[in-house]
Amino acid sequence: MTAQFAHRHLLGIEGLSEHDITALLDLAEEAVEVSRQVEKKKTTLKGRTLINLFYENSTRTRTSFSLATRRLGGDTIDFTAVGSSVSKGESFIDTAKNIEAMGIDAVVVRHTTPGTPQLLAQHLGVSVINAGDGPHEHPTQGLLDILSIRERCGRIAGLTVALVGDIMYSRTARSNIWGLKKLGAHVILCGPSTLVSQQWQEIGVEVAHNLDEILPRCDVVNLLRIQFERQATRPFPSVREYALLYTMNGERLERAKNNILILAPGPINRGVEVTPEVADGPHSAILEQVNNGVAVRMAVLWQLLGQ
């Protein structure tokens, strides 16, 4: 692996250049090969400790960061707000500074409040990695989605990629938008008008509300989970109606391009965003996305801590 990344933190994809994104994707491809070897463990992060500072539930992201750290020879510690000094009144920053004083090398943070990783980066001397801040960004998820597209399609530039579903509340959508646009893809945001604002056109993406109309033009469809937990009121009359208009099913697949690629960042709601026959079919890269998640996080850790 070679270092080509001039950042101390990974706070979002919006602040990265095309070169930065490509460097991380190239490193992640090398990490994919490492993961295929019988001996997967390296010593790149030997003696380094990373803390997973998660203030929001997570299974795959936290596990993926832990596995990536261990494959590079480092150690991980999990921290949750439940039962911590935060519940006794200590401020978030004071808690983070106390953890930093124990000699850690990086913080992976997930929080419901947008901008939390940026706030931590201002107060801590170690690297901060954004593992999802409210509806703002989820940069490693965006990178692994883009890596999965590049693996299957061989390129990003010139592709038409539709992000379908809950754009308003999706941090994954924002990271995908910034990354895909910087690498030259045409991005379409598709979903109910209550979840897909026309204002997105101001940054150069196409906005659509009818999946059947745009589907024949798409090379990739990324099906975003409906973020029910972040919505104060339901943005459409019923889940059944949403499924009728936006679920990727076998009938829609027959009307798409022969080589269309289906992504879903997960966890997926089968029957809502995608039917089982499509999720488990040959066009789907859903499990490849999970595998690529470990590789992308290995690449990020290598670039931030491996020098």
Side-chain angles (χ1 to χ4, degrees), residues 1 24 27-36 40 45 59-72 140-141 143-145 147-148 286-302:
M1 292 183 175
L24 288 172
L27 273 179
E29 283 191 349
E30 294 185 39
V32 169
E33 293 303 316
V34 170
S35 298
R36 289 172 178 160
K40 298 179 176 61
L45 298 186
T59 300
R60 76 191 66 205
T61 300
R62 181 160 52 188
T63 302
S64 184
F65 268 110
S66 295
L67 189 55
T69 306
R70 289 168 188 168
R71 284 190 179 168
L72 292 174
T140 54
Q141 179 67 50
L143 289 167
L144 74 88
D145 288 346
L147 177 64
S148 301
I286 293 174
L287 292 181
E288 292 167 39
Q289 289 173 265
V290 177
N291 184 52
N292 284 340
V294 178
V296 160
R297 281 144 192 151
M298 288 174 69
V300 170
L301 293 171
W302 167 263

Side-chain angles (χ1 to χ4, degrees), residues 84-109:
S84 73
S85 294
V86 174
S87 62
K88 301 174 185 174
E90 186 175 63
S91 75
F92 174 71
I93 294 299
D94 281 340
T95 297
K97 284 185 172 180
N98 275 276
I99 293 172
E100 181 186 35
M102 297 178 190
I104 62 169
D105 298 286
V107 174
V108 177
V109 59

Side-chain angles (χ1 to χ4, degrees), residues 97-256:
K97 284 185 172 180
N98 275 276
I99 293 172
E100 181 186 35
M102 297 178 190
I104 62 169
D105 298 286
V107 174
V108 177
V109 59
R110 168 170 288 194
H111 204 284
T112 54
T113 302
T116 298
Q118 288 79 1
L119 181 67
L120 272 186
Q122 292 171 10
H123 287 85
L124 301 185
V126 299
S127 292
V128 176
I129 302 169
N130 182 0
D133 58 330
H136 176 225
E137 275 224 46
H138 191 350
T140 54
Q141 179 67 50
L143 289 167
L144 74 88
D145 288 346
I146 295 169
L147 177 64
S148 301
I149 295 171
R150 199 173 78 164
E151 276 187 342
R152 283 280 193 109
C153 301
R155 61 190 169 91
I156 300 298
L159 295 178
T160 295
V161 181
L163 305 177
V164 178
D166 187 351
I167 306 300
M168 178 181 289
Y169 296 97
S170 173
R171 51 197 174 207
T172 296
R174 282 156 181 76
S175 291
N176 268 264
I177 290 167
W178 296 122
L180 290 166
K181 275 178 52 62
K182 289 180 179 185
L183 296 183
H186 176 65
V187 178
I188 305 175
L189 306 182
C190 180
S193 58
T194 49
L195 291 174
V196 185
S197 167
Q198 292 290 331
Q199 290 184 337
W200 280 106
Q201 295 179 99
E202 296 174 4
I203 64 164
V205 300
E206 181 179 342
V207 171
H209 303 299
N210 189 318
L211 176 59
D212 293 309
E213 285 184 0
I214 66 164
L215 193 55
R217 292 193 282 130
C218 295
D219 300 292
V220 181
V221 172
N222 195 348
L223 302 162
L224 304 175
R225 185 175 66 85
I226 301 298
Q227 312 275 326
F228 291 115
E229 71 276 16
R230 298 197 184 118
Q231 298 165 359
T233 58
R234 183 157 293 183
F236 38 78
S238 69
V239 172
R240 183 175 180 277
E241 180 176 295
Y242 178 87
L244 183 66
L245 295 173
Y246 297 106
T247 296
M248 181 55 72
N249 53 32
E251 184 180 341
R252 286 199 165 97
L253 200 59
E254 290 180 1
R255 298 200 299 271

